[in-house]
Amino acid sequence: MSTRRGYASDLLAFFNFLHVNRGGKDWRTATSDDHEAYFAWRREDPAGPRVAASTWDREVAATNRFFNWQVRRGVLSENPIPQRRRRAHRQRRGGGDSRETTPATRSHGSGRTRVDWLPASSYRRWRDIGLRGYGTDGRRDDGFRGRWATRNATFADMMVRTGLRLSELSNLFESELPTLVQLNGFHRFYLPRVIAKGSSERWVYVPSTVLRAVREYVETDRREVIELARSAGRYRLTPDSVILEPDGRHARLVGSSQRIPFGLLSLEERRRTFVEGRDGVAPASLWLSEAGEPMSVSTWKHIFRQANIRCQRNSLALSASPHTLRHSFAVITLEHLQRGHIAALRSATPEQRGYYVRVFGDPLDWVRRLLGHRSVETTQKYLHALADLEMSTRLALIPEEWEDPRDPTLIAAGLS
């Protein structure tokens, strides 16, 4: 087969998957979730072709070139294949591919069965040392200069307890948070379409303990930076600034009386949105920098990198990224839901089991909805981590009958 025919064959394999398995889609409407589902089917699904890593890497390279071409032509606004930044030493010199990103779904010889996640205890240790500035002894490090440790730790707590993507949580408005009405259980709020990746708008469930911490941040650190920014005259409205109406459902441009439905604001407009109060205007964004401006995604990524560096300096073999926290939420939630699901069905009759499944569904589908995946095939990658977790748990229960319970020192001395 020629190179040109192989290229066409690689594209047609993905296009056919979209049409057959993704509701008749074509390549113009493909999303990153579609491509991740294609990976799961192509490489991991027992009923799929289970192609080799080298075959997959060739296919994704061809498909990536095609979609980059369509973006350059203006046919598509973005490439649906998830990207990651190239490592510096892998960038080609002199006439090669100078793009800074590469497909994140390349296998590099190993399947994506590995999901990086942290158990709750490991996450807390990473957070306390990396973000809060504690030492490995559990005490506050006097040399730590992270003034906004509480804000950063609260942000990470909300990520790991809700499964929100970094882009989703960082673009949230303060007014979109639910009101704290109870100290236990969960509160929920609706994630709007404009900030939900792939238009995966959905209900988000946040533990009351986390919501209380976020509300404390709003009333303390956030209020302080707003007051300082006002005093410094940083909040200057321009003609393209947006004012959020008191009803929380409409907005308007400065100097205009025309009301815009809140849900129609773009991401760029959301970053220019303010709320008016008795003491002046303030950004509508929930997470603000030291200067009182909305925090960017790149700033949060930098904070995570600095936390990892601090853990390394403290000889702690833990690191985390925003994706790690999202994966941790998925694995732990799926594990708890699956155990509850099995317990509920254990003593049920076949008829009761069928009714339970019809009413409450599959735990994997519950996690799919919480994560905002379009297809359960995308969520299936967490089953591998769940299997590893179950194996580790069961191995820990094996009795140590292989070990000699006698004191080796006494054995050596001939006294046992």
Side-chain angles (χ1 to χ4, degrees), residues 318-369:
L318 287 176
S319 65
S321 68
H323 270 306
T324 306
L325 303 193
R326 179 169 160 84
H327 294 334
S328 301
F329 165 83
V331 173
I332 294 172
T333 302
L334 183 57
E335 194 267 344
H336 281 285
L337 290 176
Q338 190 68 35
R339 290 187 185 277
H341 188 75
I342 293 172
L345 297 179
R346 185 176 294 125
S347 60
T349 65
E351 292 77 12
Q352 290 171 331
R353 291 193 190 101
Y355 176 77
Y356 181 91
V357 172
R358 286 195 301 273
V359 172
F360 296 105
D362 180 7
L364 192 63
D365 191 58
W366 300 343
V367 175
R368 177 195 66 79
R369 292 197 298 267

Side-chain angles (χ1 to χ4, degrees), residues 395-413:
L395 287 175
L397 298 177
I398 296 177
E400 298 181 354
E401 296 175 351
W402 296 100
E403 302 296 332
D404 192 331
R406 296 174 296 171
D407 190 324
T409 304
L410 298 179
I411 295 173

Side-chain angles (χ1 to χ4, degrees), residues 233-286:
R234 296 194 188 103
Y235 296 147
R236 297 178 181 177
L237 300 180
T238 60
D240 63 348
S241 297
V242 180
I243 301 297
L244 189 63
E245 294 284 300
D247 64 5
R249 297 192 299 270
H250 297 87
R252 58 179 173 82
L253 290 174
V254 170
S256 172
S257 60
Q258 182 178 358
R259 304 176 82 196
I260 306 169
F262 170 70
L264 297 183
L265 294 178
S266 66
L267 280 176
E268 293 76 16
E269 288 172 329
R270 285 176 68 95
R271 293 188 64 82
R272 302 194 304 267
T273 299
F274 293 82
V275 293
E276 293 179 316
R278 292 181 300 177
D279 300 322
V281 297
S285 297
L286 171 60

Side-chain angles (χ1 to χ4, degrees), residues 64-315:
N64 189 61
R65 287 199 301 272
F66 171 78
F67 282 114
N68 280 336
W69 175 48
Q70 297 302 328
V71 171
R72 291 194 299 271
R73 293 179 60 204
V75 177
L76 298 178
S77 60
E78 62 178 354
N79 187 340
I81 298 179
Q83 304 287 311
R84 65 167 176 81
R85 185 170 294 277
R86 289 178 180 270
R87 296 183 179 92
H89 69 277
R90 292 186 65 87
Q91 293 184 12
R92 300 177 184 175
R93 297 180 180 178
D97 188 350
S98 61
R99 287 190 295 272
E100 296 183 355
T101 62
T102 189
T105 50
R106 286 180 61 91
S107 64
H108 301 289
S110 61
R112 279 178 49 202
T113 57
R114 176 179 174 179
V115 173
D116 291 326
W117 67 284
L118 295 175
S121 58
S122 298
Y123 162 73
R124 289 193 296 267
R125 193 158 173 77
W126 172 84
R127 176 201 63 192
D128 291 345
I129 293 175
L131 294 177
R132 285 182 169 170
Y134 285 77
T136 53
D137 58 359
R139 297 181 179 180
R140 191 79 177 198
D141 184 353
D142 294 335
F144 182 66
R145 295 292 180 266
R147 182 183 176 192
W148 304 104
T150 301
R151 176 202 62 191
N152 299 343
T154 301
F155 182 92
D157 282 348
M158 191 162 181
M159 281 202 74
V160 80
R161 298 300 303 278
T162 62
L164 285 169
R165 298 177 176 91
L166 176 60
S167 59
E168 294 170 340
L169 180 54
S170 60
N171 282 301
L172 203 63
F173 279 177
E174 186 274 331
S175 61
E176 290 169 329
L177 283 178
T179 302
L180 184 66
V181 296
Q182 62 190 38
L183 299 181
N184 299 310
F186 287 80
H187 291 71
R188 74 173 187 172
F189 64 93
Y190 200 74
L191 189 71
R193 170 183 288 261
V194 66
I195 64 174
K197 182 179 177 181
S199 301
S200 58
E201 69 272 22
R202 62 193 184 274
W203 286 106
V204 176
Y205 294 82
V206 54
S208 297
T209 53
V210 174
L211 181 59
R212 182 165 66 249
V214 176
R215 284 297 181 188
E216 289 174 355
Y217 151 74
V218 170
E219 296 300 323
T220 54
D221 290 350
R222 186 176 183 275
R223 176 174 291 182
E224 178 184 349
V225 298
I226 288 175
E227 292 174 352
L228 291 174
R230 283 172 175 165
S231 300
R234 296 194 188 103
Y235 296 147
R236 297 178 181 177
L237 300 180
T238 60
D240 63 348
S241 297
V242 180
I243 301 297
L244 189 63
E245 294 284 300
D247 64 5
R249 297 192 299 270
H250 297 87
R252 58 179 173 82
L253 290 174
V254 170
S256 172
S257 60
Q258 182 178 358
R259 304 176 82 196
I260 306 169
F262 170 70
L264 297 183
L265 294 178
S266 66
L267 280 176
E268 293 76 16
E269 288 172 329
R270 285 176 68 95
R271 293 188 64 82
R272 302 194 304 267
T273 299
F274 293 82
V275 293
E276 293 179 316
R278 292 181 300 177
D279 300 322
V281 297
S285 297
L286 171 60
W287 306 101
L288 302 181
S289 68
E290 294 86 333
E293 301 294 336
M295 296 275 285
S296 66
V297 168
S298 61
T299 299
W300 282 117
K301 289 181 178 179
H302 174 73
I303 290 172
F304 273 74
R305 287 194 295 268
Q306 292 300 113
N308 291 334
I309 292 173
R310 177 169 171 75
C311 288
Q312 292 173 5
R313 289 174 179 170
N314 281 268
S315 300

